[in-house]
Amino acid sequence: MVGAALALFTLAGIADSAVARKTEILHLLKHDCGSCHGMTLQGGLGPSLRPERLRLFSEAQLAIVILHGRPGTPMPPWKPFLTEQEALWLAGLLKKGIEP
Amino acid sequence: MRLIFIALLLISSAGQAADCLLRGTGDLGIIIERAAGSLKVVDTTHRKELFRVKGLGDLSHASAVYSRDARYAYIFGRDGGLSKVDLLCGRLVKRVVQGGNSIGGAISQDGRLIAVSNYEPGGVKLFSAETLDLVADIPATQTPKGKGAKTVGLVDAPGQRFVFGLYDTHEIWVLDMSNPQAPQLTRFKDAGLQPYDGLITPDGRYYIAGLFGEDGLTLLDLWHLEKGPTRILSHYGKGKQQLPVYKMPHLEGWAVAGDQTFLPAIGHHEVLVVNRNSWQATGRIPVYGQPVFAIARPDGRQVWVNFAFPHNDTIQVIDTETLKVIKTLKPGKGALHMEFSPRGEEVWISIRDQDLVKIFDTATLKQIGSLPADKPSGIFFTARAHKTGL
């Protein structure tokens, strides 16, 4: 991922800030998503976000849940803190499986 | 040969004893290191670390209770692990993985039973405090999806009882363990939509469940179970848009000052002031974010509040006489938990993102010290050993 980011951006400054942002999002995933989904994403008040469980969702569907939440449940919308691209990237990581 | 062998044995057992401390535990505590799956045993008088104990599993949502002799801490981990730690020897005595996904636990009035509440499979399990052997298993009501409902807000209550909520099936259960061989259950249905946490008043009389699915809370008088649960503070958020909740509030730690109690309002930037005789809201105090913990200094003169993401870099102090915020502190990002010294002159606050526990003087509201800890979350002092509901 880091490699891809570096390749994409020729300006070192932009690459650095992109990498820093990804670190920030991973931190958010571990600690803030983790407070409901478990720090290892095995589930808590919210369901497990391990790839086995997310198989039936597409990345786009997951990104929509992340951005808009699920009204009527404790899953909050993360739109104020994540862009669409970032949510898609996160959804991709979840589907692939990540140990934050 | 034999003599030498015995001498060696003596030396090695003496060596082991020397690793353990000979002292009281009344001023000790533990700090949970949530990412490392470890904890620190600390001496609060000298503000120093005594031991670090590792191998406690996933502690992302850990809580702890103490044995009544305040020597052992029982830690409930997210991965269903129940660990017993000896504070004087800095050692993990025993660890069992008792369920898939646990959220908290409690110790019985007589100190002999540890109860653990689980998300998956939902239910409560009871263990011998001494050996951690399973004593009883109380599965939760099945949801339509065929899973046990998540059990939440587990507390101990007088009469060798435990009280907890069932998030998915909207129930409150009272479990009487007077006879460990024959657990007695009292189930209250329609006890409020989606209870997410609960607390018991320090006298052990009232159980209060916070509700995610409706405005208000549920009150159960444990002196009069026949009356069943009643709703209190219905529509306290009426006319106001509930905000998205980025971290569920915790009702542990009953903040009480005289007749007033203080509760975090879910989905609002407010602390509710509630009269504990009438159970009516008598005020709401606007605060910086959505409160997670609202905890009273032991003398009741101040209430300290921390907040959910993205406001979790801030702590506010409320004066319970004027009901005003008298101080806004910015101790750092990830201010997750606060614990007062037994008589309240100090408060220890874990600052996750700085890998520090910061210590504040509660009279001057100034920082007076700090201790390093790896992604600290919960802080639990041994004074909890003798308090109902903690």
Side-chain angles (χ1 to χ4, degrees), chain B residues 13 48 75 121 123 157 168 186 198 221 246 261 302 312-313 327 339 342 386:
Chain B
S13 60
K48 67 168 198 207
I75 295 100
D168 307 279
T186 310
D221 182 349
Y246 289 97
T261 67
Q302 297 171 351
N312 64 10
D313 61 341
K327 186 83 180 179
E339 180 85 337
H386 305 117

Side-chain angles (χ1 to χ4, degrees), chain B residues 195-227:
Chain B
Y196 65 87
D197 200 4
L199 63 76
I200 189 163
T201 50
D203 58 9
R205 174 161 182 185
Y206 296 103
Y207 181 78
I208 294 172
L211 303 175
F212 183 81
E214 61 184 278
D215 247 0
L217 301 103
T218 297
L219 177 75
L220 184 62
D221 182 349
L222 299 174
W223 288 11
H224 294 287
L225 285 186
E226 73 283 358
K227 291 185 188 159

Side-chain angles (χ1 to χ4, degrees), chain B residues 147-164:
Chain B
K147 293 200 292 191
K150 299 183 185 84
T151 50
V152 298
L154 171 68
V155 300
D156 61 291
Q160 199 64 359
R161 292 181 291 179
F162 294 100
V163 189
F164 51 95

Side-chain angles (χ1 to χ4, degrees), chain B residues 25-94:
Chain B
T25 59
D27 61 346
L28 301 189
I30 58 172
I31 298 170
I32 304 286
E33 297 181 308
R34 78 198 293 253
S38 55
L39 63 76
K40 282 189 165 175
V41 179
V42 292
D43 168 340
T44 62
T45 302
H46 301 96
R47 299 191 197 126
K48 67 168 198 207
E49 173 185 338
L50 299 176
F51 298 108
R52 184 148 188 253
V53 184
K54 293 185 196 156
L56 306 176
D58 180 353
L59 297 182
S60 61
H61 201 289
S63 62
V65 298
Y66 283 100
S67 60
R68 63 195 255 150
D69 63 4
R71 174 165 181 174
Y72 299 100
Y74 298 89
I75 295 100
F76 310 99
R78 224 328 137 54
D79 55 0
L82 164 60
S83 306
K84 179 175 180 178
V85 169
D86 181 339
L87 299 192
L88 288 180
C89 303
R91 201 163 52 206
L92 177 62
V93 179
K94 185 145 189 200

Side-chain angles (χ1 to χ4, degrees), chain B residues 301-302 316-319 322 324-328 365:
Chain B
R301 182 67 198 274
Q302 297 171 351
Q316 286 188 314
V317 184
I318 294 168
D319 174 42
T322 60
K324 294 228 155 64
V325 171
I326 52 168
K327 186 83 180 179
T328 299
L365 307 179

Side-chain angles (χ1 to χ4, degrees), chain A residues 63-98:
Chain A
I64 286 174
V65 180
I66 294 170
L67 288 172
H68 302 284
R70 279 240 178 89
T73 80
M75 175 63 190
W78 292 86
K79 211 170 159 212
F81 312 105
L82 296 171
T83 67
E84 222 160 285
Q85 277 77 17
E86 288 168 346
L88 273 168
W89 178 71
L90 199 50
L93 285 185
L94 291 174
K95 274 190 73 75
K96 245 189 292 160
I98 175 175

Side-chain angles (χ1 to χ4, degrees), chain B residues 53-321:
Chain B
V53 184
K54 293 185 196 156
L56 306 176
D58 180 353
L59 297 182
S60 61
H61 201 289
S63 62
V65 298
Y66 283 100
S67 60
R68 63 195 255 150
D69 63 4
R71 174 165 181 174
Y72 299 100
Y74 298 89
I75 295 100
F76 310 99
R78 224 328 137 54
D79 55 0
L82 164 60
S83 306
K84 179 175 180 178
V85 169
D86 181 339
L87 299 192
L88 288 180
C89 303
R91 201 163 52 206
L92 177 62
V93 179
K94 185 145 189 200
R95 174 174 154 81
V96 294
V97 174
Q98 55 79 39
N101 201 329
S102 84
I103 178 70
I107 186 162
S108 61
Q109 183 176 33
D110 69 1
R112 290 175 202 278
L113 295 173
I114 302 290
V116 188
S117 72
N118 289 311
Y119 273 165
E120 223 180 313
V124 168
K125 285 187 181 166
L126 295 116
F127 297 86
S128 152
E130 204 175 320
T131 61
L132 302 192
D133 289 339
L134 186 68
V135 174
D137 186 358
I138 313 290
T141 308
Q142 294 283 304
T143 65
K145 285 184 191 159
K147 293 200 292 191
K150 299 183 185 84
T151 50
V152 298
L154 171 68
V155 300
D156 61 291
Q160 199 64 359
R161 292 181 291 179
F162 294 100
V163 189
F164 51 95
L166 281 69
Y167 175 82
D168 307 279
T169 51
H170 325 294
E171 296 171 74
I172 292 176
W173 288 8
V174 180
L175 171 63
D176 186 332
M177 289 299 293
S178 307
N179 177 357
Q181 268 65 55
Q184 297 271 331
L185 256 186
T186 310
R187 301 182 177 93
F188 295 103
K189 298 203 156 96
D190 301 318
L193 289 181
Q194 291 168 306
Y196 65 87
D197 200 4
L199 63 76
I200 189 163
T201 50
D203 58 9
R205 174 161 182 185
Y206 296 103
Y207 181 78
I208 294 172
L211 303 175
F212 183 81
E214 61 184 278
D215 247 0
L217 301 103
T218 297
L219 177 75
L220 184 62
D221 182 349
L222 299 174
W223 288 11
H224 294 287
L225 285 186
E226 73 283 358
K227 291 185 188 159
T230 50
R231 296 292 197 288
I232 56 169
L233 304 175
S234 290
H235 316 299
Y236 69 77
K238 201 176 180 176
K240 293 197 190 177
Q241 174 83 40
Q242 180 169 329
L243 304 166
V245 176
Y246 289 97
K247 182 169 172 144
M248 301 302 276
H250 281 274
L251 295 182
E252 176 228 286
W254 175 249
V256 64
D259 277 348
Q260 302 178 117
T261 67
F262 297 80
L263 294 168
I266 188 165
H268 301 283
H269 291 193
E270 285 174 353
V271 170
L272 297 178
V273 188
V274 179
N275 180 289
R276 72 159 287 180
N277 300 314
S278 65
W279 299 107
Q280 300 285 320
T282 55
R284 27 178 106 226
I285 303 168
V287 289
Y288 179 70
Q290 291 185 31
V292 175
F293 284 101
I295 301 183
R297 198 170 72 178
D299 67 343
R301 182 67 198 274
Q302 297 171 351
V303 169
W304 289 56
V305 188
N306 71 345
F307 303 100
F309 174 89
H311 299 112
N312 64 10
D313 61 341
T314 300
I315 301 278
Q316 286 188 314
V317 184
I318 294 168
D319 174 42
T320 56
E321 216 169 35

